[in-house]
Amino acid sequence: NTQRIFGRNKFYVKNTAVIEKLADITSIVFDKTGTLTETMKSQIKYEGKTLTSEEESIIKALVLNSSHPLSIKIAFSLQTNTRFDVGDYKEIIGEGISGTVNGKRIKVGSQSFTSSKNALNSDNNSTNVFVSIDEKEIGFFKIINVYRFGLKEIVNSLISNYKMFVLSGDNDGERENLMNIFPDENTLHFKQSPHDKLNFISSLQDKHEKVLMIGDGLNDAGALVKSDVGISISEDINNFSPACDGIMDAKSFKKIKEFINFSRTSKKIIIISFIISFIYNLIGIGFAVQGLLSPVVSAVLMPISSISIVVFTTLATNLMAKKRNLL
């Protein structure tokens, strides 16, 4: 019934065991891009050498091969419709992507990945994606992230009960902005590859932490699988992320505290149900051993026991869900 209630709130878990694990978490780890930020609402601006129509086309051809939220954002910002094939495509996690397009070698990613000796100056307070063609850096896409509405309030509501961390594959250009939300700078980790994220989750578990990982399901697959509960945030819940334990509609992100608390409530209801069932059967056995119950009456009382527990759990979870504004 709790799984059904979560589904009505656009939080889909693959089985009831996920709800039990969610009730026991002690640490929450967030990915940044696409999780704490709303990729499609972020502002993007190109700075550097004026791009020709051919250069726009080859950049778009390359980034369309990547599923990273920033690549998708760049692709949407380029209006060209000319199509080119991409050869020798490579993606280095945490660094960038490269390939050969229309006879030119192109790189898109971090400045250390693309830049030559004559590196361009950029604003350190934004997320910047650099572009080089034939080993010459020509400019960068400046992305001003838009954080999810109410993020600071969500973090403040959780921070007293859970250890919280941010893992980002991007540079630390957003450090200052994130410190306005996460006051402890030591909880912010940048330039994290998928392998780094997985190791970070493992290190927490080695300290006997129960970890909830919330990511976008793209570069976080290993960490999502390794964590005790892995949740993928999606702007489009039709995108299937097999690595995760649950998929949450981005609009329901603000309810994360309610989901965790309701998981705990549901677990308590199950425990109460076991106690009720135990007492019911203990009393029944007491009557039975005294010969006070006929076989027919016993045969009737046994299914009533199961039915009463189902009714109790359903009514109790529905009542608590209404109090939490989940129904």
Side-chain angles (χ1 to χ4, degrees), residues 92-326:
I92 301 176
I93 302 300
E95 290 292 333
I97 56 177
S98 64
T100 301
V101 185
N102 199 31
K104 297 182 178 181
R105 186 65 181 170
I106 179 170
K107 294 181 179 179
V108 176
S110 66
Q111 192 165 24
S112 61
F113 178 70
T114 63
S115 68
S116 59
K117 294 180 181 180
N118 299 318
L120 296 170
N121 293 322
S122 62
D123 182 2
N124 289 327
N125 292 321
S126 61
T127 298
N128 302 304
V129 180
F130 292 81
V131 180
S132 70
I133 297 178
D134 290 333
E135 305 302 327
K136 182 179 180 181
E137 192 172 273
I138 61 171
F140 60 90
F141 291 90
K142 178 179 179 180
I143 295 150
I144 302 173
N145 289 306
V146 175
Y147 288 91
R148 296 198 182 279
F149 179 77
L151 177 61
K152 187 175 179 64
E153 290 73 21
I154 294 169
V155 171
N156 287 341
S157 70
L158 294 167
I159 204 163
S160 60
N161 297 318
Y162 306 97
K163 296 177 182 178
M164 304 182 71
F165 305 91
V166 176
L167 303 180
S168 174
D170 302 327
N171 58 40
D172 61 354
E174 291 286 330
R175 182 183 295 275
E176 186 176 336
N177 292 330
L178 284 169
M179 284 187 64
N180 293 325
I181 302 170
F182 298 87
D184 186 356
E185 186 176 6
N186 294 325
T187 64
L188 307 178
H189 302 269
F190 299 93
K191 297 182 179 179
Q192 297 288 298
S193 68
H195 188 67
D196 292 331
K197 293 179 182 180
L198 189 150
N199 287 339
F200 187 86
I201 299 294
S202 296
S203 68
L204 288 177
Q205 292 174 330
D206 289 341
K207 299 173 184 176
H208 306 292
E209 297 287 336
K210 301 294 184 182
V211 184
L212 165 63
M213 171 74 185
I214 304 178
D216 59 18
L218 298 173
N219 297 322
D220 314 307
L224 288 170
V225 171
K226 181 63 178 175
S227 60
D228 295 277
V229 179
I231 297 174
S232 175
I233 298 291
S234 179
E235 302 288 346
D236 180 8
I237 56 176
N238 292 318
N239 288 337
F240 179 58
S241 300
C244 62
D245 295 307
I247 300 175
M248 183 184 297
D249 190 294
K251 295 174 184 174
S252 296
F253 179 72
K254 60 185 178 182
K255 298 180 181 180
I256 184 65
K257 182 182 179 181
E258 285 78 6
F259 290 139
I260 296 172
N261 288 343
F262 193 63
S263 294
R264 290 184 170 180
T265 299
S266 299
K267 191 172 180 179
K268 290 177 182 177
I269 290 172
I270 293 299
I271 293 171
I272 293 170
S273 299
F274 274 114
I275 294 172
I276 293 173
S277 181
F278 179 78
I279 293 173
Y280 182 98
N281 284 277
L282 192 63
I283 293 172
I285 290 171
F287 281 106
V289 297
Q290 297 178 61
L292 299 177
L293 294 178
S294 69
V296 174
V297 173
S298 298
V300 172
L301 290 179
M302 281 308 298
I304 289 178
S305 172
S306 299
I307 293 170
S308 64
I309 291 298
V310 171
V311 171
F312 169 76
T313 53
T314 303
L315 292 178
T317 49
N318 285 345
L319 178 62
M320 297 306 297
K322 287 181 180 178
K323 286 185 176 181
R324 307 278 176 83
N325 294 319
L326 294 176

Side-chain angles (χ1 to χ4, degrees), residues 38-45 73 127 142-146:
E38 298 187 59
T39 305
M40 301 315 296
K41 289 185 179 181
S42 299
Q43 300 175 12
I44 186 168
K45 179 182 179 182
K73 185 69 178 177
T127 298
K142 178 179 179 180
I143 295 150
I144 302 173
N145 289 306
V146 175

